[in-house]
């Protein structure tokens, strides 16, 4: 799900290295119809889905011209059906934002192995996703490099932390392109500057989230649901080299860390092959060439989005969904040039203040809360920031 994005491309590279073990049987994309058609020619899936229904005809035409037997479909319902259908037993959930929620839940309910790259799905609907996994009986494996690292450092992947003797989880953050800068230096930041991550090649939305540290805030909420850790047990540590992907500290003083070059194929290969391991095509880590590994505290005064994420986690219920919706609106506006970089956090905070959270009950309620939060954010942006 999200085959043409950076995560999808990295996963397909791993899959192509092991044709006897893996097959990309379903490929989906949002609007990149030519790219999706090219992937169909290369991987010959059973099914290809383009989210934009207006592009289905173009997709079908290219598939037929290539002489492929791949079925073509389109629309939001088709994405959900693809995730739940019989054409696959493993689903890589890599659709960006809230748009990936329903397909991720559908895959979980039908017992698939879900490789979770869409952190927004678990941020918005953590209890619903865990319930869906219990119903389906499948596996949930994190693909975010940080959560994948934690998974590797815990006995059994997702144990009871108290019984396992875990004291805290240390999420590493690169600090993004503006590490070390203060608020006055960020007043005139452009989208291209925010998307110029020093270590990782990512899409523009997640790149901006990394620049504001909201990406790390979403990962804090994700770690809570994935591993049953309280907010107090999850600490963010800035590690600019992005070599240690995260750490787990135990009651006996031991700290286990997972290290590797900053390449998403490591986490993807681990999730695809779990509980085994396969070659990911990633260069070996040269410890002698590293020379040093640095760590520093996160600057919550400058990068306020991280603190807002902790606030949403502690509030619980639908508040993380409100946080996510406001962030998506704010980031989209920033990328379009209609909202200053520093106003991203201000708009999110104003939206949280305007819309109190409530107990999370079901998906229908969550969809309504998400829509309402977006409307609040849009209205606040028009009246206060434009």
């Amino acid at each position: 799900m999200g085959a043409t994005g950076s995560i999808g491309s990295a996963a397909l590279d791993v899959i192509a290295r092991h044709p006897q073990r893996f097959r990309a049987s379903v490929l989906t994309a949002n609007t990149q119809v030519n790219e999706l058609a090219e992937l169909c020619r290369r991987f010959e899936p059973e099914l290809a889905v383009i989210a934009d229904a207006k592009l289905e005809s173009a997709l079908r035409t290219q598939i037929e011209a290539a002489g492929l037997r791949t079925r073509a479909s389109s629309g939001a319902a088709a994405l959900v059906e693809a995730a739940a259908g019989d054409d696959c037993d493993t689903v890589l959930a890599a659709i960006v934002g809230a748009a990936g929620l329903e397909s991720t839940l559908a895959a979980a309910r039908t017992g698939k192995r879900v490789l979770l790259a869409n952190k927004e799905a678990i941020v918005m609907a953590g209890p619903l996703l865990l319930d869906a996994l219990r119903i389906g009986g499948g596996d949930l494996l994190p693909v975010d490099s940080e959560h994948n690292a934690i998974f590797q450092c815990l006995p059994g992947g997702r144990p009871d932390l108290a019984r396992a003797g875990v004291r805290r989880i240390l999420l590493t953050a690169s600090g993004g392109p503006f590490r070390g800068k203060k608020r006055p230096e960020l007043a005139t930041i452009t989208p291209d500057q925010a998307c110029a991550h020093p270590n990782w090649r990512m899409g523009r939305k997640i790149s901006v989230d990394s620049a504001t540290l909201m990406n790390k805030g979403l990962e804090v909420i994700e770690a809570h649901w994935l591993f049953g850790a309280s907010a107090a047990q999850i600490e963010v540590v800035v590690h600019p080299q992005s070599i240690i992907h995260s750490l787990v500290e135990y009651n006996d003083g031991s700290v286990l860390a997972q290290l590797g070059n900053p390449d998403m194929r490591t986490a993807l290969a681990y999730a695809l092959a779990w509980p085994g391991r396969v070659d990911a095509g990633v260069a070996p880590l040269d410890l002698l060439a590293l020379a040093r590994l640095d760590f520093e505290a996160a600057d919550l005064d400058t990068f306020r989005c991280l603190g807002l994420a902790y606030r949403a986690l502690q509030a619980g219920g639908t508040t993380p969904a409100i946080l996510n919706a406001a962030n998506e609106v704010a980031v989209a506006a920033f990328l379009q040039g209609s909202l200053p970089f520093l106003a991203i956090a201000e708009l999110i905070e104003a939206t949280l203040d305007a819309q109190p959270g409530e107990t999370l009950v079901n998906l229908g309620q969550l969809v309504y809360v998400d829509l309402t939060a977006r409307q609040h954010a849009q209205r606040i942006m028009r009246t206060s920031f434009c």
Side-chain angles (χ1 to χ4, degrees), residues 193-208:
Q193 289 174 314
C195 291
H197 196 283
N199 299 335
W200 298 95
R201 294 171 56 190
M202 306 179 293
R204 288 175 73 78
K205 193 268 182 184
I206 193 173
S207 294
V208 175

Side-chain angles (χ1 to χ4, degrees), residues 20-324:
Q20 303 306 313
R21 180 159 184 170
F22 306 121
R23 180 164 181 261
S25 56
V26 178
L27 299 175
T28 85
N30 185 24
T31 59
Q32 300 86 348
V33 65
N34 294 331
E35 292 86 344
L36 181 58
E38 178 57 35
L39 290 177
C40 289
R41 285 188 282 270
R42 181 181 175 192
F43 291 95
E44 300 186 16
E46 300 295 326
L47 173 65
V49 181
I50 190 81
D52 188 338
K54 298 189 296 295
L55 297 174
E56 181 179 340
S57 177
L59 176 62
R60 192 182 304 277
T61 297
Q62 292 194 51
I63 287 174
E64 291 175 353
L68 303 174
R69 293 182 296 177
T70 301
R71 308 190 313 275
S73 188
S74 68
L79 291 173
V80 174
E81 291 170 7
D86 295 332
D87 289 311
C88 61
D89 54 23
T90 298
V91 173
L92 172 60
I95 296 175
V96 176
L101 174 59
E102 291 193 57
S103 57
T104 303
L105 290 173
R109 279 194 297 268
T110 48
K112 305 298 175 69
R113 172 179 287 190
V114 179
L115 312 187
L116 188 66
N118 174 287
K119 63 175 60 68
E120 291 87 354
I122 197 166
V123 166
M124 294 176 63
L128 302 184
L129 181 56
L130 296 184
D131 285 345
L133 285 165
R134 282 190 287 269
I135 292 169
D139 297 311
L140 179 66
L141 289 147
V143 169
D144 268 346
S145 60
E146 295 83 359
H147 301 91
N148 189 271
I150 295 164
F151 188 89
Q152 294 190 49
C153 292
L154 290 172
R158 290 202 307 278
D160 179 288
L161 296 189
R163 291 185 179 180
V166 173
R167 179 179 291 152
R168 59 178 176 159
I169 287 170
L170 299 168
L171 280 173
T172 56
S174 69
F178 309 131
R179 180 179 65 88
K181 295 186 179 299
K182 299 301 181 182
R183 287 179 63 80
E185 300 174 86
L186 303 178
T188 59
I189 291 298
T190 67
D192 285 343
Q193 289 174 314
C195 291
H197 196 283
N199 299 335
W200 298 95
R201 294 171 56 190
M202 306 179 293
R204 288 175 73 78
K205 193 268 182 184
I206 193 173
S207 294
V208 175
D209 283 347
S210 179
T212 64
L213 289 196
M214 177 57 86
N215 191 50
K216 204 55 48 180
L218 297 177
E219 288 176 5
V220 168
I221 300 173
E222 183 178 2
H224 165 72
W225 291 115
L226 282 174
F227 307 115
S230 68
Q233 287 180 294
I234 306 168
E235 181 177 342
V236 173
V237 178
V238 175
H239 167 52
Q241 290 89 357
S242 295
I243 295 298
I244 296 179
H245 298 301
S246 275
L247 312 92
V248 176
E249 181 181 76
Y250 289 85
N251 292 333
D252 62 4
S254 298
V255 179
L256 301 187
Q258 187 264 335
L259 287 72
N261 284 314
D263 191 318
M264 284 304 303
R265 291 177 297 174
T266 296
L268 286 159
Y270 181 80
L272 282 165
W274 180 82
R277 293 180 186 265
V278 295
D279 174 36
V282 177
L285 182 63
D286 187 345
L287 290 172
L288 297 180
L290 287 177
R292 57 184 291 169
L293 298 173
D294 297 307
F295 304 92
E296 57 195 58
D299 181 354
L300 297 179
D301 292 329
T302 301
F303 301 97
R304 297 181 56 243
C305 285
L306 179 56
L308 292 173
Y310 271 103
R311 167 184 164 180
L313 173 58
Q314 290 164 339
T318 60
T319 306
I322 297 168
L323 172 92
N324 180 73

